[in-house]
Amino acid sequence: MFAFDNSYARLPAHFFEPTMPADVAAPRLIRFNAALAAELGLTLDAEDEERLAALFSGNALPDGAEPLAMAYSGHQFGQFNPQLGDGRAILIGEVVDREGRRRDIQLKGAGQTPFSRRGDGRAALGPVLREYIVSEAMFRLGIPTTRALAAVSTGEAVMRETPLPGAVFTRVAASHIRIGTFQFFAARGDNDGVKALADHVIARHYPELQGVSNPYLALLNGVAARQAALIARWMSVGFIHGVMNTDNMTVSGETIDFGPCAFLDEYDPKKVFSSIDRRGRYAYGNQPGIGQWNLARLAETLLPLLDGSEEQAVTDANAVLVTFGRIFQEQWLAGFRAKLGLPSEQDGDLELINDLLAQMAESQADFTVAFRALGGLAGGRGEGEFTALFTDRPRLDDWLARWRERAGEGRTPAERQAAMQAVNPAVIPRNHRIEEVIEAGLSGDFEPFDRMMAALDKPYEALPEFAAYLVPPKPEERVSLTFCGT
Ligand code: AMP
Ligand code: MG
């Protein structure tokens, strides 16, 4: 039923703790991602909700599962914590999917593990629904991400500030190996551990690097390139991760850990939603800098494995950090050129993009609506929808004149619009809508959840039946804080 092949379980014993999921009282299936299950080659009867609820709550284990909790460390808000690890997540095993890609299947909220510290090992329904929605939305947007396979309610309460309904989330990832996983071994002076992990990661995520010279430097470069590209994609859709701790950054280049994440409504580079991020460390505009900071932490763990003298190793690792900045800048520029519909590369592009963003910030223009309206304008729609978002009309007109000169090059309006709307989403999982879904879910109504998932299925199309998902929140609907997934 699950064709497990558990490579992580074959790594040295101190990489993880074998841990069984705890039984829950009354598992009930909320949602099952049958399309993803098919992609993974799982043979499951989507009609047999009782069986699915048992499997995806941890009450029943499929044959061949080798449940374990992974060890890791991490810098949390800049402070190093040597002992984190899966405190409420259990990897049940790995499968090789239909395309030959190895994928982890993990239950989140499945009970305590040796890494739980004082935590209860549980997850509340709200954060489970949020992660389900946002991770699948990221996938539909075409951004590398972990996926949602199932959500199950447990019939048990979890104690937070108040008792909340409990749930288990089943996550699928290329792997759950984080920068913090490398830090776990490095912090213990266990260079053999770092090396075994690095070899595993190269074989699993960067097979093209097997046998190259200075392979661990190449690995660092590979992670840098993927993280830089990933964060550039986040920026292009207004995504704020919210907790870019080093234990929440994968080495595969997938987005992971959708805790207090959110999408921008009005454009503001300083925007923070997370209730625990009081100093704005993980604000929207800080994300590339933090990505580079995190990569420096990975580089430190790999230094002893790099070729040449210690001095040479430091020089080489620093060069990778510079490369990260360059790749990010290139990818960001390419992403925003496409959003503005600039068909070629020219010297003034950065200024043109930044001038628009500055005006959007000043006018508090909705990020998603503004780019979508610009796409409409490029296709010959009236200006009103776009210009109405801005407060300084003469300045905007000056910008529009410059933009028209560039965006008009060699394409019909219809072609221009099609190209722009293919990168400017109409539907994003807006915070106020997620809150609505969660609130309904807390009273047992999952219809808004299903409707929102349907709306997010084709994010680059503004379908009339999902018109309600296109609009920014009214002042009274605005959600300014999101709470951590714990
Ligand atoms: P996160 O904020 O989800 O990235 O988690 C940070 C760390 O806290 C990880 O080591 C988690 O496993 C752990 N953790 C979070 N919530 C819980 C919980 N309810 N019980 C036990 N450990 C938890
Ligand atoms: Mg985490």
Side-chain angles (χ1 to χ4, degrees):
M1 185 178 46
F2 289 53
F4 284 118
D5 175 35
N6 304 324
S7 67
Y8 207 82
R10 296 193 287 268
L11 287 170
H14 64 298
F15 276 50
F16 56 87
E17 296 279 353
T19 306
M20 293 296 283
D23 274 350
V24 304
R28 241 196 67 209
L29 188 71
I30 298 170
R31 200 175 166 95
F32 170 61
N33 190 340
L36 178 58
E39 187 182 311
L40 297 175
L42 311 182
T43 47
L44 289 167
D45 177 1
E47 304 296 308
D48 190 351
E49 296 201 355
E50 214 168 298
R51 174 76 183 148
L52 294 174
L55 281 171
F56 296 116
S57 61
N59 276 16
L61 271 181
D63 287 344
E66 291 176 86
L68 61 86
M70 290 167 67
Y72 55 85
S73 307
H75 276 88
Q76 300 182 303
F77 293 91
Q79 295 298 313
F80 187 62
N81 187 333
Q83 183 70 28
L84 294 167
D86 289 331
R88 56 161 169 171
I90 295 176
L91 176 66
I92 63 166
E94 301 159 29
V95 296
V96 176
D97 74 12
R98 294 217 162 132
E99 316 242 290
R101 296 170 303 188
R102 181 175 292 279
R103 316 276 290 266
D104 274 6
I105 301 176
Q106 189 199 58
L107 304 179
K108 198 167 167 184
Q112 285 177 316
T113 78
F115 303 110
S116 294
R117 293 169 290 159
R118 283 187 300 274
D120 61 2
R122 298 299 188 179
L125 178 64
V128 166
L129 297 181
R130 178 184 294 278
E131 177 153 1
Y132 199 115
I133 292 167
V134 184
S135 63
E136 286 299 297
M138 292 294 265
F139 173 69
R140 305 282 166 201
L141 287 165
I143 299 177
T145 179
T146 63
R147 301 287 309 275
L149 181 59
V152 172
S153 60
T154 60
E156 292 174 3
V158 296
M159 272 314 291
R160 296 296 180 257
E161 276 102 57
T162 53
L164 295 170
V168 177
F169 177 70
T170 304
R171 175 160 73 185
V172 174
S175 85
H176 286 83
I177 302 169
R178 308 139 193 274
I179 290 179
T181 318
F182 281 84
Q183 291 180 290
F184 180 86
F185 303 104
R188 287 157 179 77
D190 178 4
N191 285 338
D192 291 343
V194 177
K195 185 173 180 304
L197 182 65
D199 289 337
H200 177 83
V201 168
I202 289 173
R204 185 162 176 178
H205 299 302
Y206 301 88
E208 68 281 8
L209 302 183
Q210 279 169 313
V212 303
S213 70
N214 213 350
Y216 307 109
L217 182 66
L219 170 62
L220 183 63
N221 245 312
V223 177
R226 287 196 199 169
Q227 281 288 338
L230 177 68
I231 297 171
R233 294 300 311 276
W234 291 356
M235 303 301 280
S236 78
V237 295
F239 178 72
I240 308 176
H241 181 282
V243 227
M244 290 175 68
N245 293 336
T246 57
D247 54 304
N248 291 338
M249 306 303 290
T250 61
V251 294
S252 68
E254 286 182 343
T255 313
I256 198 171
D257 267 10
F258 298 85
C261 60
F263 281 73
L264 288 174
D265 291 306
E266 77 283 0
Y267 176 69
D268 172 6
K270 294 199 193 63
K271 189 73 185 174
V272 174
F273 286 95
S274 167
S275 62
I276 54 171
D277 190 4
R278 296 213 171 78
R279 295 192 184 166
R281 179 180 171 89
Y282 299 137
Y284 172 79
N286 284 355
Q287 297 185 118
I290 291 290
Q292 193 178 40
W293 191 90
N294 288 339
L295 199 73
R297 306 289 78 75
L298 177 63
E300 285 162 1
T301 72
L302 293 171
L303 281 178
L305 304 186
L306 304 187
D307 286 357
S309 64
E310 214 178 305
E311 204 188 333
Q312 184 63 45
V314 170
T315 305
D316 289 345
N318 275 323
V320 177
L321 300 181
V322 174
T323 304
F324 174 94
R326 183 178 50 74
I327 296 178
F328 171 78
Q329 190 59 26
E330 279 169 12
Q331 301 275 327
W332 184 91
L333 199 52
F336 277 81
R337 266 197 194 103
K339 288 179 79 66
L340 265 67
L342 309 182
S344 62
E345 296 180 19
Q346 286 186 20
D347 278 349
D349 291 351
L350 183 61
E351 288 71 31
L352 193 66
I353 295 165
N354 280 336
D355 187 12
L356 175 64
L357 289 172
Q359 294 191 54
M360 284 168 59
E362 261 178 51
S363 310
Q364 300 188 15
D366 185 87
F367 185 81
T368 303
V369 170
F371 282 105
R372 196 75 190 175
L374 187 64
L377 181 53
R381 285 244 287 271
E383 289 191 345
E385 218 175 306
F386 182 69
T387 58
L389 302 168
F390 294 84
T391 48
D392 184 346
R393 190 58 200 268
R395 187 175 167 196
L396 183 67
D397 284 340
D398 170 68
W399 184 87
L400 274 172
R402 284 185 285 141
W403 171 75
R404 282 203 174 93
E405 247 171 62
R406 288 284 284 104
E409 292 165 22
R411 291 192 293 190
T412 67
E415 285 167 349
R416 232 185 297 158
Q417 174 169 354
M420 287 173 71
Q421 304 311 48
V423 295
N424 289 322
V427 192
I428 52 160
R430 290 186 186 266
N431 238 335
H432 67 298
R433 292 282 172 218
I434 296 177
E435 292 300 326
E436 253 172 41
V437 164
I438 292 175
E439 202 161 307
L442 290 174
S443 53
D445 174 11
F446 295 103
E447 210 269 326
F449 175 48
D450 291 336
R451 198 154 13 98
M452 186 158 179
M453 291 304 298
L456 289 164
D457 196 44
K458 295 198 170 76
Y460 296 102
E461 289 176 34
L463 301 171
E465 61 267 41
F466 298 124
Y469 295 92
L470 307 183
V471 285
K474 299 192 190 90
E476 68 274 17
E477 291 174 332
R478 285 170 60 126
V479 176
S480 56
L481 275 187
T482 54
F483 295 89
C484 203
T486 46

